[in-house]
Amino acid sequence: MAAVTEQTVLSVRHYTDRLFAFRVTRPASFRFRSGEFVMLGLMINGKPLLRAYSIASPSWDEELEFFSIKVPDGPLTEHLQHIQPGDTILLGTKSVGTLVHDALLPGEHLYLLSTGTGIAPFAAVVRDPETYERFSKVILTHTCREAAELTYGVELVAAAKADPLVGEMASAQLIHYPTTTREQTARMGRITTLIETGELFRDLGVPAFDPARDRVMICGSMEMLADLKALCEAAGLEEGANSRPAHSVVEKAFAG
Ligand code: A2P
């Protein structure tokens, strides 16, 4: 097993019967870049069970936040959804990931495209001052089935705009674009459709994707990643990596 430490659950909040967020203690030695993920889990029947989880806290946070789905009969989340403040969780000692500034070339507009719990790494990115130093406009899209599933993002954006460190920059530069696909709300549709039809760009009052100006981070299900990757490639946005920065980066949101 990879090196892990025991951390203490500080708070838990349930958003819907499918989604919850929790905060845990951060070991003094644990360093990460905003947008990365780490192995996290529980001892189950005497054995450690760990999964990759995006860290929803920015790198400067004193605690660590996570946003999780509850999968019925999911090997980890069927237990994890019952954690309480004071409980012990297991946390890996090393973080990794591609949804980081190092994997993108400089640009003007940063798109953070998420579905469901795929918003978690972007909760870190929108609270990191580097994001606003690097990009003049930051567009966070979040698509869920129902309105209640958008609450985490709504509160996140409000908190970023009120934050003593990034509040002024976020208020001026951060645009939140929530949509639903099943429950009727003010703005509806899959993000793939909204990009294909150009509705996203018309709503924002900006031109369509252009590799000269736009950078994109994507986090969601495998199908969502594949569909958005194809749309980005068609627009000339090449996929980057830590070792070779380019125009777009993708990462699968945890599910299980
Ligand atoms: P839909 O309701 O049309 O399936 P889930 O809760 O299943 O993880 O989905 C989260 C959101 O992602 C839903 O709004 C869902 O829309 C949307 N979605 C699912 N698959 C794709 C895809 N391939 N491309 C874009 N959005 C998707």
Side-chain angles (χ1 to χ4, degrees):
M1 179 175 81
V4 296
T5 60
E6 290 191 339
Q7 300 302 318
T8 305
V9 176
L10 298 169
S11 60
V12 184
R13 170 138 179 230
H14 293 268
Y15 286 85
T16 69
D17 56 2
R18 293 207 307 148
L19 296 171
F20 71 114
F22 54 97
R23 293 179 76 84
V24 308
T25 48
R26 175 178 180 172
S29 59
F30 183 67
R31 295 267 169 273
F32 65 99
R33 295 177 297 174
S34 297
E36 287 189 320
F37 63 84
V38 66
M39 299 305 286
L40 180 148
L42 292 171
M43 289 299 284
I44 293 167
N45 299 328
K47 286 199 207 122
L49 181 65
L50 294 137
R51 293 284 185 271
Y53 262 88
S54 284
I55 304 167
S57 300
S59 55
W60 52 261
D61 205 332
E62 286 170 13
E63 301 169 358
L64 298 176
E65 181 172 314
F66 299 92
F67 185 45
S68 179
I69 194 147
K70 306 174 197 175
V71 182
D73 302 322
L76 179 60
T77 60
E78 72 165 333
H79 301 284
L80 195 64
Q81 65 180 284
H82 299 299
I83 54 169
Q84 302 281 347
D87 286 354
T88 298
I89 60 114
L90 304 176
L91 183 78
T93 54
K94 199 173 149 33
S95 64
V96 287
T98 55
L99 303 178
V100 292
H101 288 302
D102 293 342
L104 290 177
L105 293 167
E108 285 175 51
H109 296 173
L110 176 64
Y111 288 83
L112 307 170
L113 309 179
S114 68
T115 53
T117 57
I119 195 172
F122 303 145
V125 174
V126 301
R127 285 182 282 180
D128 193 318
E130 193 182 349
T131 302
Y132 303 102
E133 286 155 13
R134 284 183 177 243
F135 296 94
S136 61
K137 228 188 251 288
V138 179
I139 298 126
L140 171 66
T141 82
H142 189 207
T143 304
C144 294
R145 298 177 187 185
E146 298 163 13
E149 296 173 326
L150 297 171
T151 304
Y152 182 83
V154 170
E155 293 182 358
L156 160 73
V157 169
K161 291 188 175 184
D163 187 272
L165 183 64
V166 297
E168 210 170 303
M169 292 186 284
S171 297
Q173 295 163 250
L174 176 61
I175 298 162
H176 184 209
Y177 192 90
T179 77
T180 55
T181 49
R182 302 195 191 187
E183 185 181 342
Q184 194 73 36
T185 59
R187 195 175 270 138
M188 296 195 63
R190 283 188 172 193
I191 193 63
T192 39
T193 311
L194 296 165
I195 291 171
E196 273 172 313
T197 60
E199 195 174 330
L200 171 70
F201 307 109
R202 283 195 297 279
D203 283 347
L204 298 173
V206 297
F209 284 153
D210 180 346
R213 180 193 51 239
D214 298 320
R215 302 292 171 261
V216 183
M217 293 184 177
I218 308 168
C219 191
S221 65
M222 286 308 274
E223 296 76 26
M224 177 268 203
L225 297 187
D227 292 351
L228 279 174
K229 230 171 107 166
L231 285 176
C232 285
E233 277 165 13
L237 299 168
E238 285 169 31
E239 190 173 349
N242 278 280
S243 56
R244 193 180 52 83
H247 311 119
S248 67
V249 281
V250 306
E251 207 138 74
K252 185 180 169 298
F254 165 77

